[in-house]
Amino acid sequence: MFSERDFEHYLAKKYMRTEIMPHAFCPGCGLGIIERMILMAFEELGEEEWKRTAFVSGIGCSGWVPLYFRRDAAHTLHGRALAFATALKLSKPDLNVIVVMGDGDSMGIGGNHLIHAARRNVDLTAIIATNMLYSLTGGQMSPTTPQGARTNTTPYGNIEPNFDLMKLLEAAGATYLARWTTYHFVQAKNSIKKAIKHKGFAAIEIVFQCPTYAGRYILGKPDPRDMMDWFKEVSVPLGKAKTMSPEELQGKIVVGEFLHRTDRPEYTEQVYKIIEKAQKKGGR
Amino acid sequence: MYMKPGVGVKDIIVSDKLCKGCYLCIWACPWDVFEISKERNWRGVKKPVAVRLDQCRRCRLCEFYCPDFAIQVIIDEEEEKMLKEVEEKYEKPWLPRVEERDRIVKEGVWWLED
Ligand SMILES: Cc1ncc(C[n+]2csc(CCOP(=O)(O)OP(=O)(O)O)c2C)c(N)n1
Ligand code: SF4
Ligand code: SF4
């Protein structure tokens, strides 16, 4: 009944701009899996939720993720996605605003916006796609590149220690935090679902495979299948990681749901309360 | 999504349009359903083909790990019908809007005319 020539998957038919597909990502790139996680989360949340969602993305390969959805999406300046998203959320508080950023985009050039969005606890869902380097520009070192790894800008090995995003955002004041890899498909989808429902700043870091640069330069595994096996090997669940020493955790990816708290006030609500208060006093 | 326990499926479609040949589906399948085809298709990709449909356990792992939305496991007629419905309801109404946009772009952008 269906011809294989121009077939698309069920989720693509339902949610995606099939006229511009296949997407521009390299073969085996994990960004497509992240797209699917988002779409499956919405498939379970229902159409109502999908209809009041808007996407914001930064620059980078990962910035292309929401541009394939049949939803409004803003492709903003490099690193400034969260600033744009905060304004969008303030002007339309009923919207679900989902921000998709790369690691260089969120922690490198946009690090300042990231910590302040977390500090204010703005009701956003930040999906941070980590591939351990800057990939759109050709494989330069980023704040998540492992120590000792060779990239285009660190030909003798990276000497910089990298960020632990979860600790950084916990200290800054985020209220929902999770980290998964593309290997942990179902868990990541459930976390995205929770984060969309959560009121407050939610960040989900998804480590994904970039066979073209991270695979070739950092890991020496240009095949996406080997990278998936590597994710399976090095990821440690949070509960087990707590019993391990820092030396044992070297080179591992700790995955799990790191934080879920509801005791901090949300920014948009506060702003609207202030507006109401000011209007009652007649501006004085 | 639509899941039913059992063995064997009606069809597993691998799209010519979308498949880029990363073979993550072959990596994901626990039941060795796929094989790489000998010939290249019109896009130059040696697509995976589901040769052992009767071994499929309907877990959909191949679908989940496909980054390009190219694979669809079709368990039975019911699912095929559902797919058709989705196409009619969501994809068909979208395409005229795209054509309209292309028409406007072709005509030129009015605010650039003097
Ligand atoms: C202000 C500015 N500086 C630099 C660039 C060049 N640039 C484009 S993409 C990119 C890196 C993006 O890397 P990342 O955020 O990790 O996303 P990825 O491509 O890895 O998904 C850079 C530096 C730019 N577009 N704008
Ligand atoms: S360069 Fe890496 S992140 Fe970018 S599309 Fe290719 S595989 Fe994906
Ligand atoms: S549904 Fe499961 S068993 Fe069937 S082909 Fe896909 S991965 Fe293999």
Side-chain angles (χ1 to χ4, degrees), chain A residues 24-31 61-62 131 135-136 208-214:
Chain A
F25 310 138
C26 310
C29 174
L31 288 172
C61 295
S62 38
N131 54 357
S135 55
L136 187 80
F208 72 99
Q209 76 273 25
C210 165
T212 308
Y213 293 117

Side-chain angles (χ1 to χ4, degrees), chain A residues 52-66:
Chain A
R52 49 187 203 87
T53 298
F55 289 90
V56 180
S57 71
I59 302 296
C61 295
S62 38
W64 277 86
V65 164

